[in-house]
Amino acid sequence: VKNRSTSETSTLKQMADALIIANKELVYQNEEKQKRAAELIIANKELVYQNEEKQKREDELIIANKELAFQNIEKEKRAAELIAANKELESFSYSVSHDLRAPLRHINGYVDLLLTRFYDSLPDKARHYLNNIADSSRQMGTLIDDLLQFSRTGRQEKRLVDLDMNIIVFEVLVSIKLDNPERNIEWRIATLPNVCGDKAMLHLVWTNLLSNAVKFTRTREKPIIEINVLDENDAFIFSIHDNGVGFDMQYAQKLFGVFQRLHPTDEFEGTGIGLANVRQIISRHGGLTWAKAEPDKGATFYFSIPKIKED
Amino acid sequence: MVELRTILLAEDNRKDVELTLEAMAENSLANLIFVVKDGVEALEYLRCQGKYKHRKPGNPALVLLDIKMPRMDGIEVLRNIRRDPELKRIPVVVLTSSREENDLISTYDLGVNAYVVKPVDFKQFIEAVKQIGSFWAVLNELPPERSQ
């Protein structure tokens, strides 16, 4: 019996051991299940969060889209406004050229008629007054023409081609020499490079700068005008140096403005549009304009033209 | 003796009319000018209509056209002239204040014979009027009157 009971006891113990193991297993599995559950809860929360984020992004996208649409509309509005402004400018310069010129022509006409038909019966004072009226109206005519040309240059489309600056400078010099046959100027001209630019516009730039140099060396006994070029990395810098009357650097800022003059008209004629044209054209080519000078010692004007095509 | 022929001047500004007549007078051409003061009147004159119903028929040697005029501008007058079988061969010269590119293009497209910008300087204006008058009213050979 004792043996049996021993054997029974051992069986029971085995069973108990097995139960304990099974129990532990259960506890373990339970724990695992709880862990999974917890993980699931976390995953769920993550999903919810991600969903919310997605929704947020979607909302943000909708707002961004609306913003884009709005910006597009604004851009179209600006473009339309620009076109309208351009049209207005065009009709403005039309009026300037037509409507302002007509009364001027009348003033000139009647003054001329007075002076030719009634010259003998007019006192000297009256003739003097009439001559001044004629002079002023002529000057106004020039101002109107210059202003028109300035506004045209600004609106003109530029045609960029490969240009030999030597040729342009040569052509400009030919006409300047024709216009000033009495002048004996020493020209020192460096060999110039090719640039990418609009021929007519650059022609105007050289014409303005060179005729300025010619004009402001008029009082010199031995006028010298030098044309040079500097090869910078991304641009050519052209310079026109003269030994003319120069100007005070204090007023250099004004120089390139419309109708700005640094010398009285009685001494040096001109309306003051030339350098404004130069600046406008050069900046449309992506370049810069500047000048250095000293009163009575001459002036140097610079302009740069980028080597790479602008547009 | 060269036969002198009429020039029709369409011009709305009375000062411009007076100065043009003065300039023509300087060149003894003033008596050739007939003045109308806008485009509508110009066409009435050319077509012998309205108050010109009873004028002596025949086309002028030249129509001198201002562009900016009330009621009907010069470009419209030119278009009408070129469309009209009875008028289409009349020489037309635009005499205007502005060298406006659009005007140059549209008038040349419509077959204008010349485009002259009135010089601001009166001496030059006289010279311009003289050249226009003597060329078109004297030197130029006119087209046959009837269309064929």
Side-chain angles (χ1 to χ4, degrees), chain A residues 31-192:
Chain A
E31 274 172 7
E32 281 301 297
K33 241 166 99 184
Q34 260 170 7
K35 260 194 211 162
R36 292 287 160 279
E39 277 170 16
L40 262 175
I41 288 167
I42 290 170
N44 235 355
K45 275 188 185 159
E46 180 69 17
L47 254 175
V48 168
Y49 174 74
Q50 280 180 6
N51 250 350
E52 277 172 6
E53 281 301 297
K54 239 168 98 183
Q55 192 61 45
K56 260 195 213 161
R57 293 285 161 280
E58 258 166 41
D59 290 350
E60 279 170 13
L61 257 175
I62 289 168
I63 292 171
N65 254 345
K66 274 187 187 160
E67 179 70 16
L68 252 176
F70 175 74
Q71 281 179 7
N72 257 345
I73 292 169
E74 284 297 297
K75 240 166 99 180
E76 271 165 34
K77 259 196 216 161
R78 292 279 163 287
E81 278 169 14
L82 254 175
I83 290 169
N86 245 345
K87 277 228 173 97
E88 206 165 299
L89 200 72
E90 242 165 77
S91 78
F92 173 73
S93 39
Y94 186 95
S95 312
V96 169
S97 76
H98 192 281
D99 300 347
L100 287 192
R101 225 192 294 238
L104 258 188
R105 214 180 44 248
H106 302 152
I107 295 172
N108 271 335
Y110 286 108
V111 167
D112 195 277
L113 284 172
L114 262 176
L115 280 171
T116 48
R117 301 269 165 89
F118 302 98
Y119 191 83
D120 293 335
S121 46
L122 287 173
D124 282 350
K125 264 256 154 87
R127 289 178 202 164
H128 169 71
Y129 294 156
L130 283 171
N131 279 324
N132 277 354
I133 294 173
D135 199 52
S136 289
S137 80
R138 250 194 301 278
Q139 194 190 338
M140 189 167 164
T142 320
L143 285 170
I144 290 173
D145 288 346
D146 283 357
L147 198 59
L148 261 183
Q149 199 224 345
F150 181 71
S151 102
R152 266 202 213 108
T153 323
R155 285 177 290 136
Q156 228 164 42
E157 244 176 84
K158 63 179 194 294
R159 273 171 298 214
L160 294 179
V161 288
D162 189 44
L163 291 173
D164 185 346
M165 281 295 213
N166 297 295
I167 295 177
I168 298 186
V169 168
F170 177 77
E171 286 172 357
V172 171
L173 270 185
V174 168
S175 65
I176 282 183
K177 283 176 182 170
L178 273 175
D179 288 343
N180 302 276
E182 75 292 347
R183 297 290 305 279
N184 190 18
I185 297 166
E186 184 184 334
W187 294 90
R188 298 176 185 165
I189 305 171
T191 306
L192 305 175

Side-chain angles (χ1 to χ4, degrees), chain A residues 158 160 196-197 202 234-236 278-290 303-311:
Chain A
K158 63 179 194 294
L160 294 179
C196 177
L202 289 183
D234 46 0
F236 288 113
V278 168
R279 171 157 287 179
Q280 175 168 250
I281 291 169
I282 294 302
S283 86
R284 288 193 64 194
H285 280 76
L288 295 169
T289 35
W290 66 100
F303 68 90
S304 65
I305 297 214
K307 286 179 187 170
I308 317 134
K309 271 214 290 212
E310 268 303 289
D311 42 39

Side-chain angles (χ1 to χ4, degrees), chain A residues 90 93-95 97-99 101-102 104-106 108-110 112-113 116-117 137-138 141 145 148 152, chain B residues 13-16 18-19 22 26 66-68 96-100 102-103 118-123 125:
Chain A
E90 242 165 77
S93 39
Y94 186 95
S95 312
S97 76
H98 192 281
D99 300 347
R101 225 192 294 238
L104 258 188
R105 214 180 44 248
H106 302 152
N108 271 335
Y110 286 108
D112 195 277
L113 284 172
T116 48
R117 301 269 165 89
S137 80
R138 250 194 301 278
D145 288 346
L148 261 183
R152 266 202 213 108
Chain B
N13 187 301
R14 63 177 178 80
K15 290 176 195 151
D16 266 312
E18 188 176 46
L19 290 172
E22 289 284 358
E26 292 272 326
D66 184 24
I67 288 191
K68 238 181 153 184
T96 177
S97 285
S98 71
R99 192 181 286 100
E100 195 56 36
N102 288 338
D103 290 344
K118 296 172 191 166
V120 173
D121 184 89
F122 192 62
K123 297 245 180 337
F125 181 71

Side-chain angles (χ1 to χ4, degrees), chain B residues 54-73:
Chain B
H54 303 299
R55 82 164 171 95
K56 195 172 149 235
N59 288 338
L62 175 70
V63 175
L64 258 183
L65 262 188
D66 184 24
I67 288 191
K68 238 181 153 184
M69 288 185 292
R71 294 207 287 173
M72 184 190 284
D73 67 15

Side-chain angles (χ1 to χ4, degrees), chain B residues 57-125:
Chain B
N59 288 338
L62 175 70
V63 175
L64 258 183
L65 262 188
D66 184 24
I67 288 191
K68 238 181 153 184
M69 288 185 292
R71 294 207 287 173
M72 184 190 284
D73 67 15
I75 294 172
E76 213 41 53
V77 176
L78 177 61
R79 183 174 291 126
N80 274 288
I81 290 176
R82 291 298 181 247
R83 262 201 220 131
D84 190 322
E86 300 291 328
L87 309 176
K88 65 180 181 187
R89 298 197 181 106
I90 301 176
V92 176
V93 171
V94 162
L95 184 62
T96 177
S97 285
S98 71
R99 192 181 286 100
E100 195 56 36
E101 198 172 296
N102 288 338
D103 290 344
L104 276 163
I105 292 169
S106 31
T107 51
Y108 271 106
D109 281 352
L110 287 168
V112 78
N113 296 79
Y115 189 109
V116 178
V117 178
K118 296 172 191 166
V120 173
D121 184 89
F122 192 62
K123 297 245 180 337
Q124 290 170 23
F125 181 71

